[in-house]
Amino acid sequence: MVFYIRFLKVPNISTQTRSGFTVKTVVSITTDLGDDFYASNVELFVHLEYDGDVRRLTSSFPWKAGARALPIDFTLKTKDYPGLLRLCVTNVNTQKPQRLCKSHLPQLVSGWSDAFGIPNAGQTPRRIQRQFVLEGGGQLLIWEDTGESIARHIWDAAIGLIAHLQDIIHNQAGTRICSKIMERLRRPEPTPIRIIELGSGCGIVGIALAQMLRRCQVILTDLPEAMEMLDLNMPVAQLLYGSKLRKMPLDWAEDLPPSLHSMEFDFVLVSDCTYNSDSLPALVRTLSALTSNSPRALVVVSMKVRHSSEAVFFDLMVDAGFAKDAGPVKIDLPGATQSPKEVETIDIYTFIVRDDSLTAGASHVAIEEFDYGSVGSISSHENSEEESPL
């Protein structure tokens, strides 16, 4: 099980005295859904950066089993105003970004605060940044909401899907169950790889792919309230040569926008979007609409099964003309105290449109390059500068 360090109260400078500045925050350690708390003792290290990250102060605070919150306060002993500060809370005595791969999924995900500094100047924005290192050395920097909005959180299934696709990209995954994904991801240049992600949230999956693949064109979609985090995360993405990111509001309960109807995709990604069984019919209708013009698209679904009602998703997919092509690929989540029978997994499935549901001639549809720039109401970020190949 993956746990996330969160700010219940974002860091701020509460008081200024002759001896220095008092920095306060309150943290918690919860699951992605926030329905469980970390149940073991652990030492948390709090790293404070100031003076343009040149100076650092580290303190440690014990998280006790059974806790739901941990108040943190300490004094920065300086008479000089330190400027803007950032706080990092982690379970290791280092501020390095955490490695993100199938064999090293973090059990506790560290958090970095937004910059803060002026005493009593109001609250720092209620967000927290996650910092990961991808295979190949690129940093994945993702802001997420540190409040109650699940639309703007990172979910376990997203982390599992990134680890799985990363293995495929770097030739570390089994070829039998991943052959179609592997074939699409390794198509000859300069043909772009076209991807749309549903329920993107913070955008971590689509952004990671655009950082791992050259000429990867990604549209990130979600409800309008999720766009704020995408606005923060897209500009700091370290895209490979020719890769592009776009965002677009998309409500599954509404008809697919005509602009998306005209596009063709290689992949439709769905990560941790099956937990609410009430939304599943709308989700499957959206998948059907997207693949009506992309009958050879692979629908990749990553899920952490939370309750039995999610099984209706598979029935709806069959009724809509989809067939399971591969899966589940199971990604074990970390859990030092778990027995093998208790280990939680992320299950990843690949679906295709059944041949008997394709229209005449659709089996030979060629995927043409399309112009993202002509699509209305889509914001973008791209990298056209030459970089070294993977």
Side-chain angles (χ1 to χ4, degrees), residues 100 132 140 142 154 158-159 162 197 200 202-209:
L100 187 57
F132 301 104
L140 180 61
I142 300 293
I154 294 172
I159 290 178
I162 293 170
E197 183 182 5
S200 299
C202 304
I204 185 171
V205 176
I207 291 172
L209 278 173

Side-chain angles (χ1 to χ4, degrees), residues 18-36:
R18 291 181 179 180
S19 60
F21 302 83
T22 300
V23 176
K24 290 188 176 183
T25 186
V26 178
V27 302
S28 187
I29 309 178
T30 72
T31 56
D32 54 358
L33 196 56
D35 58 349
D36 201 2

Side-chain angles (χ1 to χ4, degrees), residues 284 288 312-322 354 357:
V284 174
S288 295
V312 72
F313 172 73
F314 298 96
D315 297 330
L316 292 170
M317 289 291 280
V318 171
D319 292 343
F322 291 97
R354 288 200 313 264
S357 56

